[in-house]
Amino acid sequence: MFHDRARVAVQAGRGGHGALSFRREKYVPKGGPDGGDGGPGGDVILVADPNLRDLSSFRSRRRFAASNGRPGQGAGKYGATGEDAELRVPVGTQVLDEEGQLIADLAGADGRVVVARGGAGGRGNARFATSTRQTPRFAETGLPGEEAVLELRLKLLADAALVGLPNAGKS
């Protein structure tokens, strides 16, 4: 069966939390803060694929989410970025939001559009160190990613057209 419409819910990844860590070594008894920042969350991206013909792949699965960013670590290590979720749609797909506003029109092959951006990662405690506050004992949490409910519509183009009078026997 041919499907030319689909309704999907997408959620971008949450940013990783910043690390709360202090430098501790044998001959450095009062080392300063060294907590790294959390990684950003993954994005949800729609990619126009010329090999697809309809939206039937969205019939069984309607919820898509990108992965979260990894938290920061000690020794100034940053968290890894969350993996993006790429959804393949046929060429000619229109993306509309809940109010029916057009977000994107994927008319060309290999067209890409980010429909949900991942959240920013939190800052580690090394970022909050100043000359007056030398040992901050706090770090930021990662921000949540964007969520959206989208409607996908496939614009159909005819491959062939028959022209003639009504009684010309076009059937």
Side-chain angles (χ1 to χ4, degrees), residues 24-124:
R24 295 291 179 248
E25 295 178 18
K26 185 174 182 179
Y27 297 108
V28 186
K30 294 194 181 222
D34 67 351
D37 298 344
D43 299 334
V44 179
I45 303 169
L46 294 179
V47 180
D49 188 357
N51 297 327
L52 295 177
R53 295 288 171 224
D54 64 352
L55 297 170
S56 61
S57 61
F58 297 104
R59 182 177 171 143
S60 62
R61 185 171 172 208
R62 296 179 186 223
R63 184 155 187 81
F64 299 92
S67 64
N68 297 333
R70 303 295 302 161
Q73 298 177 359
K77 295 179 184 174
Y78 287 75
T81 302
E83 286 191 38
D84 296 337
E86 286 191 355
L87 308 179
R88 302 232 173 250
V89 296
V91 175
T93 301
Q94 291 180 330
V95 183
L96 293 92
D97 62 3
E98 289 180 281
E99 290 83 34
Q101 299 291 329
L102 183 67
I103 295 174
D105 188 3
L106 299 169
D110 296 326
R112 300 170 65 88
V113 63
V114 177
V115 293
R117 297 213 176 268
R123 296 180 291 178

Side-chain angles (χ1 to χ4, degrees), residues 16-22 32-38 72 76 78 120-143:
H17 302 310
L20 177 62
S21 174
F22 295 94
D34 67 351
D37 298 344
Y78 287 75
R123 296 180 291 178
N125 67 336
R127 291 282 197 100
F128 297 106
T130 62
S131 60
T132 57
R133 182 176 51 209
Q134 295 180 357
T135 57
R137 297 187 182 278
F138 57 89
E140 286 182 337
T141 59
L143 298 177

